[in-house]
Amino acid sequence: MHMHKFEKVWLIFGTVALLVFLTVLGISAFYLGNQPPSCLVTIDPEKVEVTAPFNAPGLHEVTGKDWDYELVFVASAFSYSPAKVEIPKGSTVKVIATSKDVIHGFEIAGTNVNMMLEPGFVSEYTTRFNNEGENLIICNEYCGVGHHMMSSRIEVVSK
């Protein structure tokens, strides 16, 4: 079988690129020890109300960490707890959330916060609130007949 020289060049280039990719992947995985994240935090969805920090949802000031506040949310049948929170402008906040019943979405409209809340798992995201005003939290995962009524609010106020 006769192959054109450009076909041979592309075949060699593709083979070399594949070998380089597999070599880099092997070095990264085995020599450097890089692995996919597997440190998921879990919780018993039937005991959310008695498990810290979800036994006291809301905004809590913290010290000695890279963030100023921890904002704890619990999602359940068409509602978030708490329903409204005030956060000082310029604060770095770690949002910690979970669901008690089904999969819910957690999106703070107008920001880059967008998480999926699954029963039995804890979702976390750290963000900074620099703009004053009201931010709407919506469920962006269909969770049942009352899904359209599921919302909460974050009010960013001056210090």
Side-chain angles (χ1 to χ4, degrees), residues 59 69 84-91 129-135 154-159:
L59 189 68
Y69 296 93
K84 186 173 182 179
V85 177
E86 285 189 0
I87 296 176
K89 179 181 176 183
S91 299
F129 290 94
N130 291 321
N131 299 326
E132 282 187 42
E134 191 171 78
N135 296 304
I154 292 177
E155 182 76 28
V156 181
V157 296
S158 60
K159 292 184 179 180

XYZ file of all heavy atoms in Angstrom, residues 59 69 84-91 129-135 154-159:
182
model
N -25.159 33.051 59.141
C -23.833 33.643 58.999
C -23.109 33.611 60.337
O -23.645 34.046 61.350
C -23.966 35.084 58.502
C -22.684 35.787 58.107
C -22.092 35.144 56.856
C -22.947 37.259 57.856
N -16.228 34.955 57.201
C -17.485 34.395 57.676
C -17.733 33.021 57.052
O -17.244 32.739 55.962
C -18.662 35.307 57.290
C -18.626 36.660 57.914
C -18.036 37.741 57.269
C -19.198 36.885 59.169
C -18.007 38.998 57.841
C -19.175 38.139 59.757
C -18.579 39.187 59.078
O -18.547 40.424 59.650
N -33.130 34.716 54.701
C -32.464 35.975 54.364
C -31.258 36.155 55.284
O -31.328 35.842 56.465
C -33.414 37.161 54.511
C -32.805 38.455 54.035
C -33.797 39.591 54.020
C -33.115 40.837 53.491
N -34.014 41.970 53.424
N -30.161 36.674 54.704
C -28.915 36.875 55.452
C -28.339 38.230 55.069
O -28.402 38.634 53.909
C -27.886 35.771 55.103
C -26.575 36.001 55.814
C -28.423 34.400 55.427
N -27.753 38.938 56.046
C -27.035 40.183 55.779
C -25.542 39.928 55.932
O -25.097 39.372 56.932
C -27.476 41.285 56.739
C -28.822 41.852 56.427
C -29.138 43.087 57.262
O -28.285 43.504 58.091
O -30.231 43.634 57.086
N -24.778 40.369 54.911
C -23.326 40.173 54.892
C -22.668 41.534 54.712
O -23.076 42.310 53.846
C -22.920 39.235 53.730
C -23.522 37.843 53.945
C -21.415 39.154 53.598
C -23.256 36.887 52.812
N -21.632 41.844 55.489
C -20.922 43.109 55.297
C -20.190 43.144 53.953
O -19.600 42.150 53.522
C -19.917 43.141 56.453
C -20.435 42.163 57.454
C -21.162 41.122 56.677
N -20.225 44.303 53.315
C -19.564 44.487 52.023
C -18.065 44.250 52.164
O -17.441 44.658 53.138
C -19.826 45.911 51.527
C -19.172 46.230 50.216
C -19.448 47.672 49.800
C -18.701 48.005 48.532
N -18.910 49.413 48.159
N -17.479 43.571 51.175
C -16.055 43.295 51.153
C -15.640 42.056 51.922
O -14.447 41.754 52.013
N -16.604 41.336 52.468
C -16.291 40.143 53.262
C -16.002 38.941 52.367
O -16.619 38.763 51.324
C -17.469 39.789 54.170
O -17.728 40.831 55.058
N -17.889 39.156 48.595
C -19.027 40.004 48.255
C -18.574 41.461 48.275
O -18.437 42.057 49.336
C -20.179 39.776 49.245
C -20.827 38.433 49.089
C -20.419 37.357 49.860
C -21.832 38.242 48.156
C -21.012 36.113 49.718
C -22.435 37.005 48.011
C -22.027 35.940 48.781
N -18.334 42.027 47.079
C -17.817 43.390 46.972
C -18.869 44.426 46.610
O -18.614 45.614 46.733
C -16.697 43.446 45.921
C -15.458 42.715 46.392
O -15.093 42.782 47.552
N -14.819 41.997 45.490
N -20.023 43.990 46.133
C -21.049 44.934 45.675
C -22.229 44.941 46.635
O -22.785 43.900 46.967
C -21.531 44.547 44.277
C -20.400 44.585 43.272
O -19.496 45.412 43.372
N -20.436 43.681 42.308
N -22.609 46.154 47.065
C -23.778 46.283 47.928
C -25.036 45.944 47.140
O -25.095 46.121 45.932
C -23.892 47.715 48.455
C -22.949 48.020 49.580
C -23.214 49.397 50.179
O -24.391 49.751 50.350
O -22.239 50.100 50.446
N -26.035 45.474 47.869
C -27.314 45.181 47.244
C -27.807 43.797 47.619
O -27.219 43.090 48.427
N -28.917 43.447 46.994
C -29.560 42.172 47.300
C -29.214 41.141 46.232
O -29.308 41.416 45.044
C -31.075 42.369 47.374
C -31.794 41.189 47.927
C -33.249 41.503 48.176
O -34.020 41.513 47.209
O -33.605 41.734 49.351
N -28.811 39.966 46.670
C -28.516 38.852 45.775
C -29.545 37.753 46.008
O -29.753 37.327 47.143
C -27.115 38.289 46.035
C -26.032 39.292 45.731
O -25.949 39.814 44.638
N -25.198 39.578 46.717
N -29.550 37.194 49.934
C -28.374 37.680 50.653
C -28.325 39.176 50.431
O -28.287 39.649 49.299
C -27.077 37.025 50.132
C -27.062 35.542 50.477
C -25.867 37.732 50.726
C -25.844 34.811 49.942
N -28.338 39.922 51.531
C -28.259 41.367 51.474
C -26.838 41.773 51.845
O -26.372 41.514 52.952
C -29.256 41.999 52.458
C -29.295 43.493 52.438
C -30.036 44.064 51.246
O -30.946 43.403 50.718
O -29.690 45.182 50.830
N -26.121 42.407 50.885
C -24.761 42.890 51.145
C -24.879 44.344 51.563
O -25.383 45.187 50.817
C -23.865 42.732 49.911
C -22.459 43.216 50.205
C -23.843 41.283 49.437
N -24.451 44.634 52.803
C -24.598 45.968 53.384
C -23.224 46.551 53.704
O -22.255 45.816 53.899
C -25.463 45.922 54.661
C -26.883 45.486 54.323
C -24.882 45.004 55.695
N -23.149 47.882 53.772
C -21.876 48.521 54.127
C -21.571 48.239 55.599
O -22.478 48.116 56.416
C -21.945 50.018 53.864
O -22.965 50.600 54.623
N -20.283 48.135 55.899
C -19.852 47.775 57.271
C -20.218 48.837 58.273
O -20.126 49.982 58.102
C -18.340 47.515 57.287
C -17.954 46.288 56.546
C -16.485 46.026 56.676
C -16.110 44.752 55.928
N -14.709 44.436 56.006
